[in-house]
Amino acid sequence: MPFSEPVRLGRKRALPSCPNPLFLKWLTELRDDAKEKGLKIHHTYHKAINSLTKYPLPLQSATEAKILQNFGDGICKILDKKLQQYYKEHGPNAPIHSLPKRLQTAGEFDNNSLAPRQKKNDAPVSDSTAAEKKGEGGGRKKKREYVPQKRSGGYAVLLTLYREAQIPGSKGFMFKMELQTEAQKLCDKSFTVPDLGSKYTAWSSVSTLIQKNLLIKTHNPARYSLTEDGLALAERLEAAETGEQSPVDGNRKVQAEESPKLVDLTCSDDEDDEEARPVTPDIPVTASIHLTSGDADGGSTDSVALQTKSRQMDGGRLPPGSYDIVLCVDFIETTGGCQHRKQELVKELQRNGVNFDVRKLNVGDFLWVAREKVAPVSGQLRAPAGRELVLDYIIERKRMDDLCGSIIDGRFREQKFRLKRCGLRKPIYLVEECGKAASHMSLPESTLQQAIVNTQVVDGFFVKRVQDVRESAAYLTIMTRYLSKLYQNQTLFCRSRELDGDVVEDRSVPSCSLISFAEFNYGAIKNKCQTVKEVFARQLMQVSGLSGDKAAAILELYNTPHSLLSAYNRCSSEAEKEKLLASVRYGKLKRNLGPALSKTVYQLYCTQGPLL
């Protein structure tokens, strides 16, 4: 049995809070400076700081930090530059794992630092010397600058975000749906449908842009904005696109003359220069009808640029006469189930001359959009897609048999809750009577009638009752004509629901601040990632007698289960805990929640074990 080394006993030396205080100090300065300037990149610096503080080992260079989360090429490059400057000022052997009050000489590193050991006869080599030797020795060549290929997905995303940021009053970011819609005009590949034999779309390049620190993704739903490096690259791409010189940097002219070769985002950084792709010409090689015809008549390309520029200048505004009111019909209302009855609705709308469009709606069955009128461009097969703003009217259609089934399985309460939270201020329930057929349903007719009355009186929905499909089509026709007249002289503005929230306005006048259809439909996805507040609201609504208004009133005071439990812990007695929510006011009449519901909620969240 081999002799084992004796165990060394004694007090362990306390580990420092962060073994890389110098890098932490520089990152903190970068974050604070970016925050003062209002740059979105301060979120990236903050995430990098969190990753660095959790890493227990010392780092010899910023390049080693690439194994950590949120450390991209941009941050590592900045830290390495600061490290080289630090070595120049304090000497090549200056300590980097502590912040001494005085300069230390060589050999005074902490013995516990995990720096890589050198051979006895080897002299210490600085990072700059190693880099010089690497370049002189003919090793791996310097990495090329990362520039997306023209008309690629990354190219379109960078340009779209840059142009959006130049619009006066811009929110500084874009959501996924609106970013895909606007960027599609600058890309030859689809952002949603992969090519034949491939699983990648143009949107796949976004992950590469984030990895290269050109793009930052925050919040939920996701918001995409340019980083400092991405903004600089987008300015160069825009200058090359328009043929103008960017005035940001005086050295840009030299960079433009010696611009790097345009490479595809999917190319590897380790490829040699001999294997690089040739420079992409200004005009794509792919056959494009409007480009070739534009060369012949000299007008189509200019008209596209003029139209794009005019749409950027108006800041999302639709003046009177520049849009049409279009009825949007959920595709479920035209397919499946009773095919004859659903096709009858479409035929009635066509017979009445209603301008409608069938599409997928994530909430509601009918709504109206203000669709921008876009003139077709000479030489193009299809006219550019116009912007769409959602009017504040949305309809949920219910037959008596459907109402009965939705009450039994719980969909009815959930649908009402989602309609209230969808961002549109005037939800409508369109109820189709079944006549004598109601007597053959699982629930008595009196229960169904009471549910309809509660929807109107308690929940505050406008309820319209009709007899059959033909009357439903007639009501939709009248509403379409009414809204066309109501908005014919109105100037519409696009607002972001994420920034403004649920704005309460005077309901007697039409709202001219509307949500884009892409943002509305994406925000109404049923199975999308939910916040803690949304899950908490769903939990509360499972309690018998606790409606959406009551849940919303509780959420105004306690928006998470943790905040509610903390309030219970601050109570001095059981009786006080049971009556904590009794005085919470809800609804338009501002009634109290009551002691019974308050006690039920307390038992639900504070009882140990199963409820009896």
Side-chain angles (χ1 to χ4, degrees):
M1 181 175 179
F3 179 75
S4 61
E5 186 178 353
V7 179
R8 299 177 59 185
L9 303 177
R11 180 178 297 177
K12 292 185 178 180
R13 187 172 183 177
L15 293 176
S17 57
C18 179
N20 302 285
L22 202 58
F23 289 157
L24 184 63
K25 175 177 177 293
W26 291 336
L27 283 174
T28 305
E29 292 174 353
L30 290 171
R31 181 197 62 186
D32 295 342
D33 184 55
K35 199 168 185 179
E36 289 179 0
K37 295 179 180 178
L39 301 176
K40 299 290 184 180
I41 197 174
H42 77 85
H43 295 293
T44 305
Y45 290 137
H46 185 71
K47 293 178 181 179
I49 290 174
N50 291 337
S51 298
L52 185 63
T53 53
K54 296 175 183 177
Y55 189 65
L57 302 180
L59 300 170
Q60 298 303 316
S61 66
T63 307
E64 296 181 7
K66 284 187 178 181
I67 62 174
L68 304 180
Q69 288 184 345
N70 305 302
F71 272 83
D73 293 338
I75 291 181
C76 293
K77 187 176 180 181
I78 294 173
L79 293 179
D80 274 332
K81 285 183 179 179
K82 289 183 175 291
L83 185 61
Q84 296 302 325
Q85 184 65 27
Y86 177 80
Y87 281 141
K88 287 181 182 179
E89 294 177 357
H90 303 289
N93 295 322
I96 63 173
H97 301 126
S98 61
L99 295 176
K101 295 182 179 179
R102 60 182 180 81
L103 296 179
Q104 297 181 357
T105 57
E108 288 186 320
F109 283 102
D110 189 358
N111 293 330
N112 290 334
S113 64
L114 300 181
R117 297 182 178 180
Q118 298 174 347
K119 295 181 180 179
K120 293 183 179 180
N121 297 330
D122 288 348
V125 181
S126 64
D127 291 344
S128 59
T129 308
E132 291 174 1
K133 288 185 177 182
K134 201 172 196 179
E136 295 173 1
R140 287 175 56 187
K141 296 186 178 180
K142 186 178 180 181
K143 292 183 178 180
R144 299 169 305 194
E145 184 180 1
Y146 210 80
V147 181
Q149 190 177 17
K150 189 167 184 177
R151 302 290 297 180
S152 66
Y155 176 91
V157 168
L158 290 176
L159 272 187
T160 301
L161 287 172
Y162 175 76
R163 292 174 180 177
E164 171 69 19
Q166 305 309 307
I167 299 176
S170 170
K171 54 183 180 287
F173 62 86
M174 296 183 74
F175 295 101
K176 179 179 178 180
M177 295 292 294
E178 60 179 336
L179 179 56
Q180 286 181 337
T181 303
E182 294 298 326
Q184 188 61 69
K185 307 163 189 175
L186 302 173
C187 182
D188 294 331
K189 192 175 181 180
S190 173
F191 274 90
T192 55
V193 181
D195 292 340
L196 187 63
S198 173
K199 63 178 180 179
Y200 298 105
T201 63
W203 185 254
S204 304
S205 59
V206 169
S207 59
T208 309
L209 295 179
I210 296 175
Q211 181 185 0
K212 297 298 179 183
N213 199 33
L214 301 175
L215 197 67
I216 183 172
K217 174 184 176 183
T218 58
H219 293 82
N220 183 21
R223 301 177 181 181
Y224 297 89
S225 54
L226 292 175
T227 64
E228 198 170 351
D229 295 339
L231 182 62
L233 177 57
E235 286 176 353
R236 291 167 52 193
L237 295 177
E238 177 69 13
E241 180 78 12
T242 58
E244 299 174 357
Q245 182 64 39
S246 175
V248 176
D249 191 354
N251 297 327
R252 290 284 167 81
K253 187 173 182 181
V254 178
Q255 294 177 0
E257 294 175 355
E258 300 177 358
S259 59
K261 298 180 179 181
L262 298 179
V263 297
D264 195 349
L265 284 174
T266 57
C267 288
S268 172
D269 290 334
D270 300 334
E271 293 179 357
D272 294 333
D273 292 340
E274 291 80 2
E275 298 177 359
R277 296 189 177 185
V279 179
T280 306
D282 291 338
I283 300 178
V285 180
T286 56
S288 181
I289 299 176
H290 67 277
L291 286 178
T292 53
S293 62
D295 295 336
D297 56 23
S300 66
T301 307
D302 295 337
S303 63
V304 173
L306 182 62
Q307 192 175 38
T308 303
K309 186 176 181 180
S310 64
R311 293 180 66 183
Q312 292 174 356
M313 292 298 291
D314 63 7
R317 180 174 60 90
L318 294 180
S322 65
Y323 57 86
D324 294 321
I325 303 300
V326 181
L327 170 65
C328 295
V329 182
D330 187 20
F331 77 100
I332 297 297
E333 294 297 309
T334 62
T335 60
C338 183
Q339 189 74 18
H340 172 72
R341 178 171 57 84
K342 293 187 175 182
Q343 288 300 321
E344 185 179 354
L345 174 68
V346 175
K347 291 178 182 178
E348 284 294 324
L349 292 176
Q350 292 173 344
R351 188 179 297 114
N352 295 337
V354 178
N355 185 13
F356 71 95
D357 184 21
V358 179
R359 62 180 68 179
K360 178 177 175 56
L361 302 179
N362 292 322
V363 64
D365 296 323
F366 306 95
L367 57 82
W368 288 266
V369 296
R371 179 187 293 171
E372 181 186 17
K373 297 178 182 178
V374 181
V377 180
S378 175
Q380 284 190 349
L381 181 61
R382 297 181 180 87
R387 291 169 293 180
E388 291 182 337
L389 303 181
V390 185
L391 305 187
D392 274 328
Y393 297 81
I394 182 171
I395 292 179
E396 178 71 26
R397 177 188 177 199
K398 286 289 183 187
R399 276 175 53 93
M400 279 295 189
D401 52 353
D402 185 25
L403 177 62
C404 177
S406 61
I407 292 175
I408 293 175
D409 61 19
R411 287 184 294 113
F412 188 51
R413 296 180 64 193
E414 182 192 12
Q415 286 173 347
K416 290 191 291 185
F417 181 76
R418 293 180 64 215
L419 281 173
K420 282 190 173 182
R421 305 287 294 177
C422 71
L424 305 185
R425 305 181 180 99
K426 297 185 179 181
I428 301 171
Y429 259 90
L430 183 61
V431 180
E432 290 184 6
E433 306 285 352
C434 290
K436 296 180 179 180
S439 60
H440 302 287
M441 296 181 187
S442 303
L443 296 176
E445 186 177 0
S446 60
T447 302
L448 300 179
Q449 296 296 339
Q450 185 63 50
I452 295 173
V453 173
N454 289 343
T455 301
Q456 184 171 9
V457 178
V458 179
D459 299 317
F461 288 90
F462 178 80
V463 177
K464 174 64 178 178
R465 298 195 185 196
V466 294
Q467 292 298 323
D468 51 21
V469 178
R470 185 167 297 180
E471 287 193 9
S472 295
Y475 178 72
L476 294 173
T477 302
I478 294 173
M479 280 293 297
T480 304
R481 293 171 182 170
Y482 165 74
L483 293 176
S484 298
K485 184 178 181 181
L486 185 65
Y487 284 91
Q488 64 181 356
N489 296 322
Q490 302 292 337
T491 300
L492 307 182
F493 299 89
C494 181
R495 68 177 173 90
S496 174
R497 185 187 173 197
E498 294 297 320
L499 292 180
D500 298 340
D502 296 327
V503 183
V504 178
E505 296 182 354
D506 185 5
R507 291 174 179 258
S508 61
V509 295
S511 174
C512 297
S513 179
L514 306 175
I515 310 173
S516 68
F517 177 80
E519 181 181 352
F520 162 79
N521 214 29
Y522 179 74
I525 296 176
K526 187 174 182 179
N527 295 324
K528 67 184 180 70
C529 295
Q530 297 176 343
T531 62
V532 176
K533 184 176 181 180
E534 291 172 339
V535 175
F536 187 33
R538 287 177 177 268
Q539 289 180 353
L540 291 174
M541 290 181 63
Q542 300 307 311
V543 178
S544 178
L546 212 160
S547 63
D549 287 340
K550 296 177 182 178
I554 296 175
L555 290 176
E556 289 182 2
L557 299 176
Y558 313 103
N559 56 3
T560 62
H562 180 267
S563 61
L564 179 60
L565 292 175
S566 299
Y568 283 133
N569 292 333
R570 291 192 294 268
C571 296
S572 57
S573 63
E574 288 292 319
E576 185 180 354
K577 293 179 181 180
E578 291 179 356
K579 297 179 180 180
L580 176 66
L581 304 178
S583 59
V584 174
R585 298 183 179 274
Y586 70 94
K588 297 179 181 178
L589 301 179
K590 298 300 179 183
R591 294 177 177 174
N592 290 337
L593 200 64
L597 271 179
S598 178
K599 182 178 180 180
T600 302
V601 175
Y602 165 68
Q603 291 176 344
L604 175 64
Y605 285 95
C606 296
T607 301
Q608 299 293 334
L611 294 175
L612 300 178

